[in-house]
Amino acid sequence: MEASVILPILKKKLAFLSGGKDRRSGLILTIPLCLEQTSMDELSVTLDYLLSIPSEKCKARGFTVIVDGRKSQWNVVKTVVLMLQNVVPAEVSLVCVVKPDEFWDKKVTHFCFWKEKDRLGFEVILVSANKLTRYIEPCQLTEDFGGTLTYDHMDWLNKRLVFEKFTKESTSLLDELALINNGSDKGTQQERERSIDMNFLPSVDPETVLQTGHELLSELQQRRFNGSDGGVSWSPMDDELLAQPQVMKLLDSLREQYTRYQEVCRQRSKRTQLEEIQQKVMQVVNWLEGPGSEQLRTQWGIGDSIRASQALQQKHEEIESQHSEWFAVYVELNQQIAALLNAGDEEDLVELKALQQQLSDVCYRQASQLEFRQNLLQAALEFHSVAQDLSQQLDGLLGMLCVDVAPADGASIQQTLKLLEEKLKSVDLGLQGLREKGQSLLDQISNQASWAYGKDVTIENKENVDHIQGVMEDMQLRKQRCEDMVDVRRLKMLQMVQLFKCEEDAAQAVEWLSELLDALLKTHIRLGDDAQETKVLLEKHRKFVDVAQSTYDYGRQLLQATVVLCQSLRCTSRSSGDTLPRLNRVWKQFTVTSEERVHRLETAVAFHSTAEKILQECPEQPEAFNEMDQFDEIEAVGKSLLDRLTVPVVYPDGSEQYFGSPSDMASAAEHIREKMKLVSLKKQQLRQPEATTPES
């Protein structure tokens, strides 16, 4: 009988075992009667349950039954006492009927129990509550009878419920675990797996049952009830003492069976996990060697342009994305296999290592193929990028060469020539880079045979190789044509530089000649103070004319060179057309001016020489001046020289220029006049002696 079945009856506390004992160590059974009518059936059920708890050894020591009739009628007490004969006749040693303060009919009650003593089989005594200690020690009596024994009926009932539940669940769980464990130890592997599959999960959670058992055992081993804190210490009840070894035994059995069950579950879980890993490994291997490899087999081209290579790269990224999902599964599987290898059994190591090796080989091989393909496409993209840049450079260079050169001056030609050389150098570097990229790509393509997946890629490789070599040869031819055109353009531009240089130098010669003419007119104005100085000035003037002549000849030679260069370049000079007339015009002006300067200096030399000769002769030699014509001649020369100083230089084009400023000319004229005055005085001095001679 279980307490849970008769729980409503037990809660009524119709009878209870308080844990107290009489002087013979017999258990004390207390029946507290109340004012309400007590159901004998419920009381009988309660007594049957309570008497099933103690052990046979305890029962053999007999029971002392305390019938508390203080709140009941005599008829009820009598009925209860008589009922004890049928329920526990052999175990009852003494029945103590606690009488109420209102005394029952003594004769009736005493006579009745005395009369029935032999028939009942136990002694029945009537006693008041305060006299009960004559038969039972106070420490074994509850507080209701003036004792010190603490008893909490609901606490006891809860413990009984927990104990019975634990006993029932643990017993059932032990049977289930034993069935599972025993089934896994017998028969073949398939039989064990079928047995485990049929009874794999117990009806209750073993962990929960074990926890309940430990908590119950802890409660049973305490010296107090949970509700008796602060009370008097007491020895545990016999049913609690009996329950402890039973709970401990059940816990030991449960732990043993649960440990075996956990091992069974672990083996099953390991086998299931191993089978799942095998299945996933085969899925990864089958996909990588099947659809994954087929995707790579269809991708062999490298594209013929940047756009085509980028499209192939995008397609390859899609393939890599699909592979990444399977590689993620590979990483997870590899971690699971590594964990099993660290904690696995000897029998699983070989199988696990074989799976790990197979999975790693396939994944690494496929990853290497993907990486090789990616590197190949990247190299192709770089090759086409360099080829496109080089093509654009060649187009720019060719466009520059096709445009006719029309520079403004030699500096712009030099700049254009420098730019041309830089572009040609850039093309050389670009072609060199293209060859390097192309060779690197060809080397990778030559290694593609090792990743051909058993497929003959000779035709595909030949197409790629022909394309790469064709691009490089085409760029080489275009570069060679540009170089030839650059050589021609360089020669032409150098000739143009020389042409501009000749034109600039010729223009400079004209400027120099103009400066010489200007200097001749503005600074070469002195005629000298005497004949010697005038001769020196005349000699300097001739040297000055030689410099001008050299400048004129240099300009003529440069202009002749420009004519030759223009004929070579088949172009007309932009400056030589007006430079030659300018040169000739300036030269004619210089020639006319120079001749006028020479004429003036020669006249001045003649004037100074004659004047100095006249002025230096002594008056004592009058014979030297016999001819007065010399004085007339010098006067004529002086007047002629003075007249020339006032006359401008008239050029062939009708223009006129004066030597120096009017003040400069006035100064020169004044000096001549002074010398003419001296000559005139000399003449007068010579004439005076002639006048005095006749008179004398």
Side-chain angles (χ1 to χ4, degrees):
M1 183 181 298
E2 297 179 2
S4 58
V5 178
I6 59 172
L7 183 59
I9 298 176
L10 293 176
K11 286 183 177 181
K12 294 180 179 181
K13 197 179 178 181
L14 299 179
F16 61 88
L17 291 169
S18 64
K21 297 180 181 179
D22 56 21
R23 290 186 175 89
R24 294 168 299 157
S25 298
L27 296 177
I28 297 175
L29 175 64
T30 304
I31 303 176
L33 299 178
C34 57
L35 296 176
E36 298 177 358
Q37 184 67 32
T38 301
S39 172
M40 293 299 109
D41 293 337
E42 292 180 351
L43 179 60
S44 177
V45 170
T46 301
L47 292 176
D48 289 340
Y49 176 75
L50 291 175
L51 294 175
S52 67
I53 294 175
S55 63
E56 295 299 326
K57 185 177 180 181
C58 291
K59 293 179 181 179
R61 290 195 291 266
F63 290 88
T64 294
V65 182
I66 299 176
V67 180
D68 188 0
R70 289 176 293 178
K71 297 180 181 181
S72 182
Q73 298 177 358
W74 166 248
N75 293 333
V76 176
V77 173
K78 180 180 178 181
T79 303
V80 170
V81 172
L82 294 176
M83 185 184 66
L84 291 174
Q85 181 185 13
N86 299 325
V87 177
V88 284
E91 287 84 358
V92 176
S93 300
L94 175 65
V95 176
C96 296
V97 179
V98 181
K99 60 184 179 179
D101 294 336
E102 296 179 358
F103 195 74
W104 292 316
D105 188 345
K106 182 176 180 181
K107 293 182 179 181
V108 174
T109 55
H110 184 271
F111 172 77
C112 178
F113 286 119
W114 177 81
K115 182 180 179 180
E116 299 292 333
K117 179 179 179 181
D118 294 336
R119 187 171 64 84
L120 289 174
F122 49 78
E123 181 181 2
V124 180
I125 61 174
L126 293 174
V127 63
S128 59
N130 56 359
K131 300 287 183 67
L132 193 58
T133 54
R134 295 179 181 179
Y135 305 97
I136 303 173
E137 296 295 333
C139 63
Q140 301 298 323
L141 292 174
T142 62
E143 295 176 354
D144 294 337
F145 304 110
T148 60
L149 181 62
T150 302
Y151 174 74
D152 187 340
H153 183 71
M154 292 307 298
D155 182 64
W156 173 85
L157 181 58
N158 289 332
K159 287 183 179 179
R160 287 301 302 178
L161 290 172
V162 172
F163 171 74
E164 291 180 358
K165 179 183 179 182
F166 168 73
T167 303
K168 180 180 179 181
E169 289 181 350
S170 59
T171 303
S172 175
L173 181 59
L174 281 172
D175 294 339
E176 293 175 357
L177 293 178
L179 180 62
I180 294 173
N181 296 335
N182 294 334
S184 64
D185 294 337
K186 298 178 180 179
T188 62
Q189 179 70 22
Q190 294 181 353
E191 291 177 351
R192 289 199 302 268
E193 292 181 0
R194 284 198 299 270
S195 175
I196 293 174
D197 289 340
M198 291 173 58
N199 307 280
F200 193 72
L201 294 176
S203 58
V204 292
D205 181 22
E207 293 286 349
T208 303
V209 176
L210 284 171
Q211 183 179 358
T212 302
H214 286 296
E215 292 175 353
L216 176 61
L217 182 62
S218 177
E219 285 288 332
L220 294 176
Q221 290 175 344
Q222 290 180 357
R223 296 184 60 83
R224 302 174 183 272
F225 286 111
N226 291 335
S228 61
D229 292 343
V232 180
S233 299
W234 66 290
S235 297
M237 295 171 55
D238 279 2
D239 62 333
E240 292 180 326
L241 294 174
L242 292 173
Q244 289 183 26
Q246 187 175 357
V247 172
M248 294 175 64
K249 182 178 180 180
L250 286 173
L251 285 174
D252 292 339
S253 300
L254 273 176
R255 278 192 290 266
E256 179 183 358
Q257 290 295 336
Y258 184 52
T259 301
R260 292 180 58 192
Y261 169 73
Q262 286 179 317
E263 179 63 21
V264 171
C265 292
R266 190 185 68 82
Q267 293 293 336
R268 173 58 180 170
S269 176
K270 185 178 67 174
R271 174 51 54 183
T272 302
Q273 187 177 8
L274 186 59
E275 291 176 353
E276 291 177 353
I277 290 176
Q278 288 176 336
Q279 183 179 4
K280 290 181 179 179
V281 167
M282 293 312 300
Q283 288 178 352
V284 174
V285 171
N286 291 337
W287 190 90
L288 292 179
E289 293 183 342
S293 297
E294 185 61 29
Q295 288 179 347
L296 289 176
R297 288 191 187 99
T298 59
Q299 300 293 315
W300 54 267
I302 62 172
D304 56 358
S305 64
I306 294 179
R307 182 174 298 180
S309 296
Q310 289 176 341
L312 289 174
Q313 274 192 333
Q314 184 176 0
K315 178 64 178 177
H316 184 73
E317 289 175 356
E318 295 176 358
I319 295 175
E320 282 186 333
S321 178
Q322 296 180 18
H323 279 75
S324 298
E325 299 177 359
W326 292 97
F327 287 153
V329 177
Y330 156 71
V331 172
E332 181 181 355
L333 288 174
N334 198 35
Q335 293 175 350
Q336 294 179 2
I337 293 175
L340 290 177
L341 285 174
N342 293 331
D345 297 332
E346 292 287 339
E347 58 185 11
D348 298 329
L349 291 179
V350 177
E351 184 177 2
L352 286 172
K353 288 182 178 180
L355 283 174
Q356 188 180 42
Q357 188 64 40
Q358 180 185 13
L359 183 63
S360 298
D361 291 343
V362 174
C363 289
Y364 278 117
R365 183 171 62 251
Q366 198 75 358
S368 300
Q369 294 167 359
L370 287 170
E371 183 180 7
F372 175 83
R373 175 64 180 169
Q374 176 62 32
N375 294 337
L376 182 66
L377 290 177
Q378 183 62 34
L381 179 62
E382 294 175 357
F383 172 78
H384 289 125
S385 298
V386 174
Q388 179 175 301
D389 293 342
L390 179 59
S391 178
Q392 292 175 353
Q393 292 177 5
L394 288 170
D395 290 341
L397 180 58
L398 183 62
M400 185 177 178
L401 293 171
C402 291
V403 176
D404 193 14
V405 180
D409 51 27
S412 62
I413 293 179
Q414 291 285 2
Q415 185 176 0
T416 304
L417 185 60
K418 181 180 179 182
L419 179 61
L420 195 64
E421 296 292 347
E422 291 177 351
K423 284 185 174 294
L424 185 59
K425 183 178 180 181
S426 178
V427 167
D428 288 336
L429 294 176
L431 184 59
Q432 182 180 355
L434 182 66
R435 291 195 186 102
E436 293 176 356
K437 294 294 183 181
Q439 187 59 47
S440 175
L441 185 56
L442 289 174
D443 293 341
Q444 293 188 47
I445 291 176
S446 64
N447 295 329
Q448 191 174 6
S450 60
W451 308 106
Y453 319 101
K455 178 182 178 182
D456 186 9
V457 294
T458 305
I459 298 177
E460 291 80 356
N461 278 344
K462 186 176 184 305
E463 292 181 5
N464 293 331
V465 170
D466 291 344
H467 168 69
I468 296 169
Q469 292 178 346
V471 170
M472 291 192 294
E473 291 173 359
D474 178 63
M475 293 299 172
Q476 177 63 38
L477 291 175
R478 291 178 60 186
K479 187 250 185 183
Q480 187 62 47
R481 288 196 296 269
C482 287
E483 282 183 341
D484 296 340
M485 296 177 68
V486 167
D487 292 339
V488 175
R489 178 57 61 89
R490 185 186 296 111
L491 178 60
K492 183 177 181 180
M493 295 180 76
L494 289 175
Q495 289 179 341
M496 294 187 71
V497 170
Q498 188 176 1
L499 172 61
F500 275 103
K501 181 64 176 174
C502 290
E503 291 179 346
E504 291 175 0
D505 291 347
Q508 184 65 46
V510 174
E511 294 295 329
W512 289 342
L513 197 58
S514 298
E515 291 175 358
L516 291 174
L517 175 59
D518 189 62
L520 179 60
L521 289 169
K522 294 181 179 180
T523 61
H524 293 209
I525 55 178
R526 294 187 71 256
L527 297 177
D529 295 336
D530 52 32
Q532 183 63 33
E533 183 180 1
T534 304
K535 289 178 181 179
V536 172
L537 291 174
L538 184 59
E539 183 63 28
K540 288 183 178 180
H541 177 71
R542 289 192 179 97
K543 293 180 180 179
F544 183 76
V545 172
D546 291 340
V547 173
Q549 181 68 48
S550 300
T551 303
Y552 172 71
D553 294 339
Y554 176 65
R556 292 280 297 183
Q557 292 173 2
L558 290 173
L559 291 175
Q560 289 175 0
T562 59
V563 173
V564 175
L565 289 173
C566 285
Q567 290 175 352
S568 176
L569 294 172
R570 298 180 181 180
C571 66
T572 58
S573 174
R574 295 170 299 168
S575 59
S576 61
D578 61 344
T579 303
L580 182 59
R582 286 175 54 220
L583 180 65
N584 290 332
R585 183 175 65 252
V586 174
W587 175 245
K588 287 180 181 180
Q589 292 176 352
F590 184 86
T591 303
V592 172
T593 306
S594 177
E595 290 175 353
E596 177 63 23
R597 174 66 174 169
V598 170
H599 187 74
R600 292 184 181 187
L601 288 173
E602 289 177 348
T603 303
V605 168
F607 171 77
H608 286 301
S609 298
T610 304
E612 290 173 357
K613 182 178 179 182
I614 292 173
L615 294 175
Q616 288 176 359
E617 289 185 358
C618 296
E620 292 80 12
Q621 298 175 351
E623 64 276 5
F625 300 100
N626 292 330
E627 297 179 0
M628 297 301 293
D629 294 339
Q630 292 183 357
F631 288 98
D632 296 335
E633 181 182 355
I634 195 170
E635 289 179 359
V637 172
K639 289 180 180 180
S640 176
L641 184 58
L642 289 173
D643 291 339
R644 277 194 174 273
L645 290 177
T646 60
V647 176
V649 180
V650 180
Y651 296 138
D653 58 357
S655 60
E656 299 177 350
Q657 283 288 345
Y658 288 91
F659 279 96
S661 62
S663 60
D664 294 334
M665 292 297 99
S667 177
E670 183 64 25
H671 181 70
I672 294 173
R673 290 189 183 97
E674 289 179 356
K675 186 164 281 192
M676 288 178 68
K677 289 179 180 181
L678 292 174
V679 172
S680 178
L681 289 174
K682 186 70 175 178
K683 180 179 178 182
Q684 292 176 3
Q685 290 175 359
L686 290 176
R687 283 183 177 182
Q688 286 178 357
E690 292 178 358
T692 57
T693 300
E695 293 179 356
S696 59

